[in-house]
Amino acid sequence: MSFEDLLKELQGQKDVQEDPSHVSLEALFHDSFMSKYTRSNSFAEFLEKGNFKVQTREDILNIPDEFFDRHVARDTDFANWQKMLDTATAEYGGK
């Protein structure tokens, strides 16, 4: 999932009909997943702990990948965002 897709999801602009295989961030990073693999109880809390102010497209695009990866490595069991995303996607698909 690109940062642009993440932003659209957070803003509620991504329409499920636009991409039938799309899974919402709320479903992908559900509270159980976040509690199991991170030090946050929700994805929103995870973003907040990283001091990521995500309100607009520019907010997402302005987050350098290395900062987001560093936050993931520090506050989760994952080395980077891609590994976190891959694990969440695999676990969601295994349900």
Side-chain angles (χ1 to χ4, degrees):
M1 173 179 292
S2 70
F3 277 127
E4 186 171 300
D5 287 342
L6 172 62
L7 173 64
K8 286 179 182 178
E9 176 64 32
L10 291 172
Q11 290 181 331
Q13 295 175 353
K14 182 118 178 160
D15 185 1
V16 174
Q17 294 170 350
E18 175 185 324
D19 180 3
S21 64
H22 173 74
V23 177
S24 71
L25 286 175
E26 187 175 285
L28 198 60
F29 296 109
H30 53 84
D31 294 349
S32 296
F33 178 89
M34 295 305 290
S35 294
K36 180 177 179 182
Y37 294 109
T38 77
R39 288 149 217 36
S40 301
N41 293 316
S42 69
F43 192 67
E45 180 182 323
F46 170 76
L47 291 173
E48 190 175 304
K49 282 183 176 180
N51 290 319
F52 296 112
K53 307 294 182 211
V54 180
Q55 300 293 325
T56 67
R57 177 174 188 233
E58 291 78 28
D59 292 341
I60 288 291
L61 297 176
N62 287 332
I63 299 173
D65 291 343
E66 62 269 15
F67 291 153
F68 203 64
D69 283 345
R70 191 177 311 145
H71 178 58
V72 168
R74 182 179 51 238
D75 292 332
T76 75
D77 296 341
F78 304 102
N80 57 45
W81 166 244
Q82 189 61 53
K83 293 202 183 295
M84 182 175 172
L85 181 60
D86 290 346
T87 300
T89 302
E91 286 192 10
Y92 183 84
K95 286 185 175 184

